[in-house]
């Protein structure tokens, strides 16, 4: 068996993509638009020691596996073709014995993964219990302290790493991000002189938007690089009277009595079992009649496992957990003291956001590679294009949940109908 035949034995023989390997073998249609090129023996070791998306990611990020037919900054077309074609299943012992005989047992000895890969969950215990303050800080810094310059090139001038809200299909990424902040600001019914707490604030986009409207906004993030960039932007934009970003765990915020609390893209890092304390924290920081808005990626249902798959856990969001929007609504309702007012899904908007981030990475590819290295740049192109497919295929969604803090009598204290512009 040559490498192409081995590949077919693991994936099935009805490939619509082309596979080529360093031993000169090939499989799949010769006129296929997209394909895979296995370039080195190390790539073979990655594939057989971690069959599935983790092995593919290791080989691709290390440069041992090449995606044919797409730019590494936006391999969306190639991944879309592959996602409909490659269906990994655990090979039978007989198949693996045959593969081992053909390629040699040395390929079944695990080797060090690419340096971009996070430790497996079982080894992260050295950094603290799952979702402890220290371990959460390690996880956030892994993903967000890559390089502020890299993020500037990928995210664009808004420096916003969360789903945009497109007012129309032709809107630019910048217009859509501004529209997202406008929508959240209006949902929270903020007005000049109010106080906003934004937890997991990133580079301070929501803080700066609110500060420009005369709202006193405090943001907190576990990423030191984010906090430094955000605070400098606040100074540069003349917003220090109203805006502040701290390098801090949100649980260490001592102030209370806020008119509104926003959480834009933090829930994914919290851990489902921590939802009661997480939403309880937000409730306790609010004035009676104050609003809470939770913006996060979700599952399309409430009965699948919350932990992320191997690639996302090791290369994107270590310790990340997702659940359905129904679970989030239920946890808020079960807590007491909060009334859920509104919920909506922005799944398609996130697919469009990722499309535009990939386009930015392509446009700035050489500079991004110079800034963070080719492996990390390939990692981000792969991750964003893969996630775009996930949103398009309804594997993941993005939801807003809006709630209000009730008084003791639970009397109505909100308008009869939504007060914001969609």
């Amino acid at each position: 068996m040559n490498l192409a035949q081995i590949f077919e034995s693991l994936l099935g023989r009805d490939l619509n993509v082309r596979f080529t390997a360093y031993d000169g073998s090939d499989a799949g249609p010769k006129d296929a638009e997209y394909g895979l090129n296995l370039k080195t023996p190390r790539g073979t070791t990655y594939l057989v020691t971690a069959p599935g998306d983790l092995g593919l990611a290791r080989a691709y990020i290390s440069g041992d596996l090449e995606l044919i037919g797409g730019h590494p900054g936006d391999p969306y077309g190639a991944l879309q073709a592959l996602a409909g074609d490659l269906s990994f299943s655990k090979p039978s012992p007989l198949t693996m014995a045959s593969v081992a005989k053909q390629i040699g047992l040395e390929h079944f000895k695990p080797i060090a993964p690419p340096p971009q890969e996070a430790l497996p969950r079982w080894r992260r215990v050295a950094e603290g219990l799952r979702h402890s303050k220290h371990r959460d800080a390690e996880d956030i810094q892994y993903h967000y302290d890559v390089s502020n310059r890299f993020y500037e090139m990928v995210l664009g001038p808004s420096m916003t790493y969360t789903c945009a809200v497109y007012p129309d299909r032709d809107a630019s990424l910048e217009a859509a991000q501004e529209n997202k902040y406008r929508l959240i600001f209006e949902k929270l019914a903020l007005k000049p002189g109010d106080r906003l707490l934004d937890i997991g604030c990133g580079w301070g986009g929501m803080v700066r938007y609110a500060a420009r409207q005369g709202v006193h906004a405090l943001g907190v993030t576990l990423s030191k690089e984010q906090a430094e960039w955000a605070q400098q932007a606040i100074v540069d934009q003349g917003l220090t009277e109203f805006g502040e970003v701290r390098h801090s765990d949100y649980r260490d915020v001592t102030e209370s009595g806020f008119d509104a609390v926003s959480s834009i893209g933090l829930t994914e890092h919290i851990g489902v079992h921590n939802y009661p304390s997480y939403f309880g924290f937000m409730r306790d920081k609010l004035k009676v009649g104050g609003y809470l808005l939770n913006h996060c990626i979700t599952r399309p249902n409430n009965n699948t496992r919350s932990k992320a798959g191997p690639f996302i856990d090791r290369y994107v969001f270590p310790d990340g957990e997702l659940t359905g929007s129904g679970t989030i609504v239920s946890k808020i309702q079960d807590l007491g003291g909060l009334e859920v007012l509104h919920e909506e899904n922005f799944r398609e908007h996130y697919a469009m956001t990722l499309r535009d981030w990939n386009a930015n990475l392509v446009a700035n590819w050489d500079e991004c590679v110079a800034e963070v290295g080719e492996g990390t740049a390939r990692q981000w192109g792969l991750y964003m294009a893969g996630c775009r497919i996930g949103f398009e295929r309804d594997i993941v969604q993005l939801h807003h949940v809006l709630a209000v803090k009730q008084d003791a009598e639970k009397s109505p204290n909100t308008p009869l109908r939504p007060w914001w512009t969609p």
Side-chain angles (χ1 to χ4, degrees):
M1 293 175 69
N2 57 39
L3 287 171
Q5 291 170 325
I6 290 171
F7 190 83
E8 285 184 308
S9 73
L10 296 176
L11 300 177
R13 298 184 181 278
D14 297 322
L15 295 176
N16 294 315
V17 296
R18 184 159 175 77
F19 177 77
T20 56
Y22 56 86
D23 67 348
S25 61
D26 60 77
K30 296 185 182 301
D31 60 349
E33 182 178 3
Y34 299 107
L36 294 168
N37 178 35
L38 183 60
K39 299 166 66 175
T40 68
R42 182 175 65 176
T44 300
T45 301
Y46 281 140
L47 292 176
V48 299
T49 54
D53 62 350
L54 182 59
L56 279 170
R58 286 172 173 172
Y60 177 75
I61 291 167
S62 66
D64 299 303
L65 181 70
E66 182 181 13
L67 274 175
I68 305 300
H71 191 286
D74 186 10
Y76 169 77
L79 287 183
Q80 192 177 42
L82 291 167
D85 200 31
L86 302 184
S87 54
F88 282 99
S89 57
K90 187 175 182 180
S92 69
L94 184 61
T95 297
M96 293 307 292
S98 176
V99 169
K101 181 178 179 181
Q102 297 299 322
I103 67 174
L105 288 174
E106 66 272 12
H107 285 296
F108 286 79
K109 297 177 181 178
I111 59 175
Q116 292 81 7
E117 183 169 314
L119 293 172
R121 287 191 185 101
W122 66 271
R123 288 189 59 189
R124 290 180 213 148
V125 70
E127 298 167 2
L129 296 175
R130 188 177 178 86
H131 299 300
S132 65
K133 287 183 179 181
H134 180 73
R135 183 157 159 180
D136 279 353
E138 292 286 333
D139 292 340
I140 293 297
Q141 288 158 16
Y142 166 83
H143 189 75
Y144 296 102
D145 286 356
V146 176
S147 156
N148 282 335
R149 179 60 190 142
F150 173 77
Y151 279 110
E152 287 171 350
M153 290 184 283
V154 174
L155 303 181
S158 75
M159 281 295 274
T160 299
Y161 185 37
T162 48
C163 176
V165 177
Y166 289 76
D168 57 70
R169 293 187 180 277
D170 296 326
S172 68
L173 174 62
E174 287 308 301
Q177 292 292 14
E178 182 78 1
N179 187 52
K180 182 263 297 295
Y181 289 130
R182 187 273 313 165
L183 178 61
I184 293 174
F185 187 89
E186 290 185 6
K187 284 183 173 181
L188 292 172
L190 288 162
K191 59 187 183 301
D194 282 350
R195 297 173 63 230
L196 167 69
L197 173 62
D198 185 39
I199 61 177
C201 68
W203 288 272
M206 186 68 209
V207 170
R208 287 179 283 121
Y209 182 93
R212 288 195 295 270
Q213 320 308 315
V215 169
H216 298 276
L218 169 62
V220 291
T221 173
L222 283 171
S223 167
K224 183 179 179 182
E225 290 195 17
Q226 284 183 335
E228 291 176 349
W229 190 100
Q231 193 57 39
Q232 187 60 52
I234 288 169
V235 172
D236 293 344
Q237 294 170 26
L239 299 172
T240 53
E241 179 183 354
F242 295 100
E244 178 189 357
V245 169
R246 296 176 189 166
H247 178 215
S248 169
D249 191 293
Y250 75 91
R251 290 164 286 195
D252 293 331
V253 173
T254 58
E255 296 94 330
S256 60
F258 290 93
D259 296 281
V261 177
S262 55
S263 172
I264 307 173
L266 176 63
T267 316
E268 300 89 334
H269 301 286
I270 293 297
V272 176
H273 74 281
N274 289 324
Y275 282 4
S277 60
Y278 165 66
F279 292 120
F281 169 88
M282 288 190 269
R283 177 199 60 195
D284 295 344
K285 293 299 177 183
L286 284 170
K287 293 178 179 178
V288 170
Y291 294 99
L292 171 163
L293 187 134
N294 192 75
H295 161 129
C296 74
I297 301 170
T298 65
R299 302 284 190 195
N301 57 61
N302 301 285
N303 53 20
T304 54
R305 67 192 298 270
S306 60
K307 292 180 181 179
F311 171 66
I312 295 296
D313 184 63
R314 303 284 279 277
Y315 282 95
V316 185
F317 295 116
D319 291 336
E321 294 183 36
L322 301 180
T323 187
S325 58
T327 299
I328 292 171
V329 170
S330 295
K331 294 297 184 182
I332 294 174
Q333 291 173 326
D334 294 345
L335 187 64
L338 291 169
E339 180 180 7
V340 174
L341 301 173
H342 188 265
E343 186 278 338
E344 62 180 312
N345 183 7
F346 293 95
R347 174 170 69 89
E348 190 173 3
H349 293 260
Y350 216 156
M352 296 166 69
T353 305
L354 288 155
R355 173 203 65 194
D356 290 346
W357 288 342
N358 271 124
N360 285 344
L361 180 55
V362 171
N364 297 291
W365 179 254
D366 291 342
E367 192 174 350
C368 285
V369 169
E371 179 68 22
V372 299
E374 185 171 355
T376 298
R378 288 163 67 93
Q379 170 191 355
W380 278 81
L382 179 69
Y383 142 62
M384 293 189 297
C387 286
R388 177 182 171 189
I389 293 171
F391 282 102
E392 289 179 341
R393 298 188 176 189
D394 198 22
I395 297 170
V396 281
Q397 301 178 347
L398 188 288
H399 284 258
H400 278 192
V401 177
L402 178 69
V404 64
K405 183 171 181 176
Q406 298 173 313
D407 59 22
E409 290 73 33
K410 299 186 178 181
S411 55
N413 54 11
T414 59
L416 290 175
R417 297 295 300 154
W419 52 88
W420 56 89
T421 304

